[in-house]
Each structure stands twice: as C-alpha cells, then as structure tokens.
Amino acid sequence: MEFVGNKNEVYDAVLPATEQYPELKISEFQLVFHFLSNETEAGILHHATVARVTIHRELFDTMAEFENLDALSVERFGETDTGSTLYKQAVFAMTANFLVENQLSMNATKEAAERQDAIQAKADNCLVQYRRAMDLLLNGEETYRFEVV
C-alpha cells in the first residue's frame, strides 16, 4: 500500500509556456517544496495554475513594456536566468502557500494547535518568498523589507 502523493513519486504535470512566460514543471515544485509530501499531482497543478494566473495579472502592466520574461530579465538583471528563477519562485511560493493554508483549514482541532503554529509559520514564509520575488521582478531591486511578525 502506498500513500497518495508519496514523496518518492515525481509528478509529470507541466504548466505550458506562454508567449511571455516559461513552462513550469510540477516536479520542480516538488524539489523545492518537498515538505508538502502528501499533496496529489492534481492538487498541486490546480493551485499552481491559480497562482500563475494571479502572478501574470500582477505583472501585467510591467510585462506590457517587454516582449517576454527574458527581455525583462536582461533589462533589469543583465541576463535571463534571474527573471526565470524569480518567476518560478513567485509561482511556487504562492502555490505552496495555497496548499499549506488548505492543510491548515483541514487540520483545525484543539489538539493540533501546536502543529497549526508551525504550519502557519510555513505559510507565512511562503508569502514572504513570493512577495520578495515579485518585488524584484516588478522593480529590479528589493524596495520593501518583508518580515513575518
């Protein structure tokens, strides 16, 4: 018997590239956010899709000035890898936050209060990672200091 979302199973799902943005492999998400071992491929893919739409909308005005993410990256950072890395960080961190928040909502019992605090700290950290990546993409530098309080 094997658990759904077994950590050893590498998912094949991909959010395809668009005109402006690179493809996103769910397997890359699994490598970065390995603490989410019980998530199904469909669940991760769903939340990643929603996160990507949210981020595309947030970058809409900024991307209007550029042909694609590589062009933005070259303008802001002098090469293409940084833009792609920050984009993936933003999408994956928001996806992880969605998944962790979902776990929190399903885990709300009096006995789980201590665990809830740890899970909430993970969710908050994911939001900080997302916001820092977006700040760099939008401004080419960090313009805010983000802290979990």
Side-chain angles (χ1 to χ4, degrees), residues 54-119:
T54 303
I55 286 160
H56 287 186
R57 187 65 200 124
E58 191 170 343
L59 289 171
F60 185 79
D61 291 339
T62 299
M63 288 302 295
E65 303 171 29
F66 300 96
E67 184 177 331
N68 55 37
L69 187 61
D70 285 348
L72 175 142
S73 188
V74 167
E75 173 72 25
R76 302 250 164 100
F77 308 109
E79 43 74 35
T80 58
D81 288 343
T82 300
S84 180
T85 299
L86 291 170
Y87 172 73
K88 288 178 184 180
Q89 178 67 21
V91 174
F92 289 164
M94 182 177 272
T95 301
N97 176 263
F98 289 162
L99 292 165
V100 172
E101 290 287 343
N102 189 49
Q103 185 179 5
L104 277 170
S105 69
M106 293 171 24
N107 231 2
T109 65
K110 188 175 181 179
E111 297 79 32
E114 201 169 290
R115 179 159 163 68
Q116 292 287 92
D117 290 342
I119 294 171

Side-chain angles (χ1 to χ4, degrees), residues 115-130:
R115 179 159 163 68
Q116 292 287 92
D117 290 342
I119 294 171
Q120 185 62 56
K122 280 185 180 180
D124 292 344
N125 182 268
C126 290
L127 283 180
V128 168
Q129 291 177 43
Y130 149 73

Side-chain angles (χ1 to χ4, degrees), residues 15 26 40-52 95 98-99:
L15 290 171
I26 298 305
T40 65
E41 184 173 26
I44 295 171
L45 184 62
H46 169 77
H47 289 294
T49 301
V50 172
R52 187 169 79 157
T95 301
F98 289 162
L99 292 165

